[in-house]
Amino acid sequence: MTTPPPTPTSTPLGSLPPREHLRLGQIETVLDVVIPVYNEEKDLESCVRRLHDHLTRTFPYGFRITIADNASTDDTPRIAARLDDGMDHVTAVRLEQKGRGRALRTVWSLSEAPVLAYMDVDLSTDLNALLPLVAPLISGHSDLAIGSRLSRSARVVRGPKREFISRSYNLILRGSLAARFSDAQCGFKAIRGDVASRLLPLIEDTGWFFDTEMLVLAERAGLRIHEVPVDWVDDPDSTVHLVRTATDDLKGVWRVGRALATGALPLDRLARPFGDDPRDRQLSGVPGGLARQVVGFAVVGALSTLLYLGLYSLCRLGVGPQASNAAALLVSALANTAANRRLTFGVRGRERAVRHQAQGLVVFAIGLALTSGSLAALDTATVSPSHASELTVLVAANLAATVLRFLLFRAWVFPERERRAAEGPEATEARGAEDPQARQAPQDPQDPQDPQDPHDPQDPYDRNDFSRSAR
């Protein structure tokens, strides 16, 4: 009988427990490898036997192979049932609805193994990469791990069509969702069980986009993603419909991008999901987040300057330099304050938004005095200054006001205490700024909102909703 691992300390979504090396001596099944299948009667048995043999020979801990049948209509259910009966450490699950993402979320949500993985049934990825994939999760170094066919040291054999589609899709992810992982579609991934229990409820997709959505949300939440270069050989008999899959993936990119842009996902509260991040440590004399704020302020400032120059040049076609400067500076100042409030200093919501804009206008007045004074000095020095001279003086004046603007924003408009309040108690607890031990405090076991409660009546993946056997 399988002995479940020790129940992890239940914590809010925004303060996951620190990563720790798994206590392997207390866990019988360390790794659960899921193979999602749909009408794979041809390859299923050979895949499972090959994987089982590899794990038996090379994996030093207990494992389980779970066949997740996605409503197959061929002989796949019978083959899965036979493998379940005849092989140790092999389990079959039957779902009555299609969808690789649905299968993974269902099995992973119910698995007691501390490390969860999946791979495609065609075993295109060399199995020698499996142990390097899960080792960082066992050691506590990483939260998720993915196989990458786009790494420089990967060895890949596939046609130009799939190569082009794969690279184009990952470029789209980098450009639209600012993804930093290299290969979203490789069917060779793993995740820690404690991370999956908190991340999976946020994922909406039930099909092929499930992987991408999981990785994007994990990256935005600050989780560490480990990449393993793989040896990969294309399966020419693959049943994946490329056009339909690509269309669904692009729809998913749009949905996730819109949710992130509008703040519909709660990831903005996950400033630091783990308590062992060195960036969480409070050091005397070192302002928190200063480097990130400087970079954000510089980016916003550069965009605001371009907006200002464009508006000034446009207004200059009809009115004088002073009026053009005032109008352009006013509009760009309002946009600058709003952007810095949201992006640089992380203050969200409508609370104090009007006051922040009013304070920003005071900063604007200082900038107006500097730039207007510079224009007046230019007019005094030159009888008829050229348009290029005006722009040069204005750029110099704006650069001189930038440092003062940042200091006023940081110390007066968006002070540290106000940013902490805007982040909420979960982010404060995750940073451990006030009580480093608080992030380890267990929740009330009777709390109906406990994400670890296995008897949650609202759990959409209750064990009774599907059979653990394909019979």
Side-chain angles (χ1 to χ4, degrees):
M1 181 175 179
T2 301
T3 303
T7 302
T9 303
S10 181
T11 54
L13 185 63
S15 55
L16 294 173
R19 306 182 190 93
E20 294 181 356
H21 193 292
L22 299 177
R23 299 178 177 87
L24 301 177
Q26 305 176 22
I27 304 173
E28 183 173 337
T29 302
V30 173
L31 173 66
D32 192 349
V33 182
V34 181
I35 304 177
V37 292
Y38 173 73
N39 289 348
E40 296 286 355
E41 60 182 3
K42 177 182 176 182
D43 298 325
L44 177 58
E45 183 166 359
S46 61
C47 164
V48 172
R49 292 191 180 279
R50 178 182 165 194
L51 175 60
H52 187 275
D53 176 68
H54 177 83
L55 288 172
T56 302
R57 289 186 295 102
T58 64
F59 194 69
Y61 311 114
F63 67 88
R64 177 171 59 242
I65 300 173
T66 303
I67 306 169
D69 174 24
N70 298 316
S72 295
T73 57
D74 62 358
D75 207 28
T76 297
R78 187 184 64 80
I79 297 174
R82 186 175 72 241
L83 293 171
D84 186 345
D85 288 337
M87 299 183 67
D88 294 335
H89 314 300
V90 175
T91 302
V93 172
R94 168 74 176 181
L95 289 88
E96 300 302 329
Q97 291 179 288
K98 291 178 60 177
R100 182 179 69 172
R102 177 180 289 107
L104 293 177
R105 180 164 54 184
T106 301
V107 177
W108 281 356
S109 297
L110 295 172
S111 179
E112 297 173 340
V115 178
L116 310 169
Y118 96 88
M119 60 182 62
D120 293 335
V121 68
D122 56 18
L123 295 186
S124 295
T125 303
D126 184 14
L127 293 179
N128 286 329
L130 183 55
L131 187 56
L133 184 81
V134 301
L137 309 187
I138 294 175
S139 69
H141 174 271
S142 300
D143 310 303
L144 296 91
I146 65 174
S148 175
R149 300 163 296 184
L150 302 181
S151 171
R152 289 186 177 181
S153 55
R155 302 170 185 173
V156 178
V157 178
R158 61 176 168 182
K161 180 180 179 181
R162 284 181 176 269
E163 181 77 9
F164 174 78
I165 292 175
S166 179
R167 291 188 178 275
S168 298
Y169 179 63
N170 283 281
L171 284 176
I172 291 174
L173 293 180
R174 288 176 177 270
S176 60
L177 300 179
R180 296 190 298 274
F181 48 85
S182 65
D183 192 351
Q185 295 175 309
C186 183
F188 195 69
K189 296 182 175 68
I191 184 173
R192 283 179 63 107
D194 54 354
V195 175
S197 66
R198 293 159 173 84
L199 186 59
L200 294 180
L202 302 179
I203 303 174
E204 294 184 18
D205 192 80
T206 58
W208 291 96
F209 187 70
F210 175 90
D211 301 51
T212 301
E213 187 170 359
M214 177 179 69
L215 292 175
V216 170
L217 299 187
E219 194 171 72
R220 291 298 184 96
L223 304 182
R224 176 174 287 164
I225 301 174
H226 176 72
E227 297 197 10
V228 178
V230 297
D231 298 345
W232 194 87
V233 179
D234 189 16
D235 178 13
D237 299 325
S238 174
T239 59
V240 178
H241 194 289
L242 292 180
V243 176
R244 182 172 63 247
T245 301
T247 302
D248 292 342
D249 285 347
L250 292 177
K251 291 179 180 178
V253 170
W254 169 258
R255 173 178 56 80
V256 172
R258 182 177 58 183
L260 292 172
T262 59
L265 291 168
L267 297 178
D268 59 338
R269 297 198 302 267
L270 301 181
R272 288 288 180 270
F274 289 99
D276 61 346
D277 195 312
R279 290 168 293 183
D280 297 337
R281 299 170 189 168
Q282 300 297 308
L283 302 178
S284 58
V286 179
L290 179 59
R292 182 188 61 80
Q293 290 171 5
V294 169
V295 173
F297 184 81
V299 172
V300 172
L303 296 176
S304 299
T305 300
L306 293 176
L307 174 64
Y308 165 79
L309 293 176
L311 291 173
Y312 178 83
S313 298
L314 184 63
C315 294
R316 194 67 177 84
L317 298 176
V319 296
Q322 293 290 359
S324 298
N325 174 59
L329 196 58
L330 175 61
V331 174
S332 61
L334 293 175
N336 182 280
T337 301
N340 277 309
R341 182 179 188 270
R342 178 72 167 80
L343 302 177
T344 303
F345 299 102
V347 179
R348 296 169 173 82
R350 298 182 179 180
E351 186 178 1
R352 297 190 177 122
V354 175
R355 194 192 76 175
H356 292 157
Q357 283 292 354
Q359 292 173 307
L361 288 177
V362 174
V363 178
F364 150 75
I366 297 174
L368 179 62
L370 288 173
T371 53
S372 297
S374 299
L375 284 175
L378 179 64
D379 287 336
T380 301
T382 307
V383 177
S384 181
S386 66
H387 183 63
S389 299
E390 291 178 354
L391 290 180
T392 301
V393 169
L394 289 174
V395 169
N398 272 286
L399 290 176
T402 297
V403 175
L404 179 60
R405 186 183 304 121
F406 176 76
L407 294 176
L408 288 174
F409 271 177
R410 182 176 172 82
W412 179 50
V413 183
F414 309 109
E416 179 71 16
R417 63 180 183 278
E418 192 167 300
R419 297 196 299 272
R420 293 274 181 86
E423 289 175 353
E426 288 183 353
T428 301
E429 181 183 358
R431 272 198 313 268
E434 296 180 1
D435 184 3
Q437 301 301 323
R439 56 178 173 260
Q440 300 297 331
Q443 284 183 295
D444 185 348
Q446 303 300 322
D447 185 355
Q449 296 182 352
D450 182 358
Q452 294 291 325
D453 185 1
H455 305 294
D456 183 358
Q458 302 300 322
D459 182 5
Y461 302 105
D462 188 87
R463 292 179 183 268
N464 295 324
D465 289 347
F466 67 95
S467 66
R468 289 290 294 179
S469 172
R471 297 177 182 81

